[in-house]
Amino acid sequence: MHNDKIETLLNEITAYQASSPEELENYRMRFISKKSVVGELFAEMRNVPNEEKKAFGQQINSVKQAAEDKFQELIEAINQNGKSQQSTGIDLTLPATTLPVGGIHPLTATRQRIIEIFERIGFNLSEGPEIEDDWHNFTALNFPENHPAREMQDTFFLEKNPDIALRTHTSSVQVRVMENQKPPIRTLSPGRVFRNEAISARAHCIFHQVEGLYVDRNVGFADLKQTLYHFAKEMFGKNTQVRFRPSYFPFTEPSAEIDISCQLCNGEGCNVCKGTGWVEIGGSGMVDPNVLENCGIDSEEFTGFAFGMGIERIAMLKYQIKDLRLFTENDIRFLRQFKPML
Ligand code: 2NL
C-alpha cells in the first residue's frame, strides 16, 4: 500500500514543471513544507509495524531527497529563465524612450520676435547680399571718402579698386530697397554682418543686425520715437523705460542712441548698466537727405527715419547672457537651456 503511494509521489515529483514563481511555490507547499504530502508520510511512521519501520524510513527519506533535489532544479530553472528575460533588456512596463528634440537657437528666437513685432506694425522684410560693393555699403550712405570705417582694420575687403567687401551693416540692403521701390517704404532687414574686430565677450567679427527704415511724406522724429517705444515695450515688457541720447552717424541727421532701463536692476544701477540704470540697444536717426537723393528719392517730398540694433546684444539683455562667444561655440550645455523656447 505504501509502496504504491511512494511510487506515485516519485512520478509526480519527476514530472513536475514550474515556469513561474507561483508554480514553484505550489511545488514547495505540496512537497517540501511541513504540511506537504512528504511531511504526511513521516507522520505515518507511527502506524508502521516496528519490523517495517527501517525500510519505510529509507523509502520516505529517498522521497524527501528527491523532492528537495527537484526543488533546487526548479529554482535554478526559474532563475535561468529570469536572467534570459533580463538580458533582452526589454521591460514592456517602462515608458517609451523619448526622441531627442532640437531647440530654437537664442539668436533665431530673438530675430523672430523682433520681426514679429515690426511686421505687426506694417514693416516688411528685405534681404540683400553679404558681399557688397563700395556704393551700397558706404558711398550711398554718405560715408566720406576717408571715413575710418572704410579702413582695412574695420572692414574685410575682398577686392580693392573697385572695392568689394563683406557688408559691415544691413543698411546696404535698405539702400537697395530705396533704389528699387518708391515710398511709402517700411522695411526691416535682419542679417549677418562683418567687422574686422578682435573677438571678446562683447565683440565678434561676425554678428547679426536688424535695421529698420521708414520713408514716406511727413515722417518725423516723433514717429521714430513712438515706433521704438513700442518695440522696447513689446520686446522687454511694458514697464520698460526708453530714452534717446544725441549721437552721430554719417547716414542720419539728427541721430540718437536708443537706451532702455536696465532689465537687471530696474534702473537702480548695477554692474550690467555700470551704475547708470540704462543700457544701449541700438542707434537711430532721421535719414540724411543726401542718402535719400543718392537712392533716387526726392528729399523735398519725402523724409524718413531709420534704426539699427545688434541681435546678439538684444538676446544678451533679454536672456542675461554674459559672453557673446556662447552664441557660436555650440556648447550643448548652453543651447539646451533654450530647448523649450519657441
Ligand atoms: C547701430 C546704429 C543705425 C541706421 C542704422 C540707416 C539706414 C539707411 C539710412 C539711414 Cl538706408 N540709416 N540705418 C540708422 C541709424 C543707426 O544703426 O548702432 N546699429 C547696431
Side-chain angles (χ1 to χ4, degrees):
M1 180 205 101
H2 284 130
N3 280 351
D4 280 352
K5 197 170 180 182
I6 283 165
E7 178 102 29
T8 317
L9 268 179
L10 279 173
N11 284 340
E12 208 187 318
I13 286 167
T14 315
Y16 201 95
Q17 296 290 334
S19 57
S20 68
E22 287 76 13
E23 287 174 12
L24 187 65
E25 174 61 6
N26 288 342
Y27 178 90
R28 191 187 67 80
M29 294 292 279
R30 182 151 172 76
F31 298 109
I32 307 288
S33 76
K34 284 251 153 48
K35 291 175 181 165
S36 68
V37 283
V38 180
E40 280 167 16
L41 280 180
F42 279 89
E44 266 182 53
M45 191 64 124
R46 279 184 274 129
N47 309 324
V48 174
N50 275 346
E51 60 275 22
E52 289 175 28
K53 270 195 168 47
K54 191 180 173 199
F56 184 70
Q58 279 172 350
Q59 276 183 316
I60 61 174
N61 269 323
S62 71
V63 173
K64 189 182 178 216
Q65 192 58 49
E68 278 170 4
D69 289 350
K70 179 74 182 190
F71 192 46
Q72 283 312 315
E73 225 176 80
L74 292 175
I75 288 172
E76 265 170 41
I78 282 201
N79 281 346
Q80 212 45 50
N81 223 349
K83 269 199 201 107
S84 68
Q85 255 175 25
Q86 262 174 16
S87 70
T88 64
I90 299 171
D91 179 350
L92 295 176
T93 65
L94 287 175
T97 45
T98 49
L99 291 171
V101 176
I104 305 288
H105 192 280
L107 284 182
T108 306
T110 305
R111 187 189 63 227
Q112 286 307 119
R113 181 72 189 118
I114 297 171
I115 290 171
E116 195 175 85
I117 292 168
F118 283 105
E119 279 189 334
R120 278 188 63 196
I121 56 172
F123 282 74
N124 63 14
L125 284 185
S126 48
E127 285 186 316
E130 292 178 358
I131 297 172
E132 268 296 7
D133 51 37
D134 174 87
W135 171 257
H136 291 98
N137 198 72
F138 294 122
T139 303
L141 287 160
N142 208 33
F143 277 80
E145 202 59 59
N146 301 310
H147 194 281
R150 294 185 185 228
E151 293 293 305
M152 292 295 265
Q153 64 261 35
D154 292 304
T155 308
F156 289 115
F157 285 100
L158 304 178
E159 282 172 29
K160 281 299 235 174
N161 284 320
D163 291 356
I164 304 290
L166 298 178
R167 67 183 181 197
T168 57
H169 44 206
T170 57
S171 312
S172 55
V173 177
Q174 299 177 317
V175 169
R176 289 173 182 278
V177 171
M178 285 191 283
E179 284 174 335
N180 295 310
Q181 293 172 31
K182 285 186 175 12
I185 291 168
R186 284 188 291 265
T187 198
L188 198 70
S189 45
R192 189 184 285 154
V193 299
F194 309 85
R195 288 182 198 174
N196 195 353
E197 284 182 67
I199 295 169
S200 72
R202 318 184 82 235
H204 206 287
C205 58
I206 302 174
F207 60 102
H208 299 80
Q209 218 198 6
V210 50
E211 287 209 9
L213 174 72
Y214 191 147
V215 183
D216 202 351
R217 294 185 180 85
N218 300 316
V219 176
F221 205 85
D223 301 301
L224 182 162
K225 288 181 77 176
Q226 204 56 46
T227 304
L228 291 165
Y229 276 147
H230 172 74
F231 167 74
K233 285 167 193 286
E234 284 291 307
M235 189 77 202
F236 294 103
K238 65 179 188 320
N239 293 326
T240 307
Q241 299 298 302
V242 183
R243 78 173 182 184
F244 291 87
R245 252 181 315 114
S247 184
Y248 174 80
F249 300 109
F251 32 85
T252 47
E253 184 61 36
S255 306
E257 312 274 353
I258 315 151
D259 292 351
I260 60 165
S261 50
C262 182
Q263 301 296 296
L264 213 67
C265 64
N266 229 333
E268 300 287 318
C270 66
N271 62 344
V272 167
C273 58
K274 301 197 184 71
T276 65
W278 297 94
V279 288
E280 186 185 319
I281 61 163
S284 65
M286 299 306 296
V287 181
D288 192 298
N290 290 341
V291 175
L292 294 173
E293 295 292 336
N294 286 341
C295 300
I297 292 174
D298 183 352
S299 64
E300 295 290 330
E301 191 179 354
F302 296 104
T303 51
F305 71 77
F307 57 87
M309 315 183 254
I311 298 178
E312 278 83 353
R313 178 146 186 85
I314 304 290
M316 286 168 91
L317 291 171
K318 188 146 176 71
Y319 303 115
Q320 289 171 25
I321 296 162
K322 296 269 166 348
D323 192 321
L324 164 153
R325 288 169 288 199
L326 287 163
F327 290 125
T328 43
E329 280 169 354
N330 285 341
D331 188 326
I332 201 75
R333 292 166 300 181
F334 171 70
L335 295 174
R336 268 209 192 105
Q337 299 176 68
F338 301 94
K339 215 170 180 177
M341 196 169 72
L342 276 170

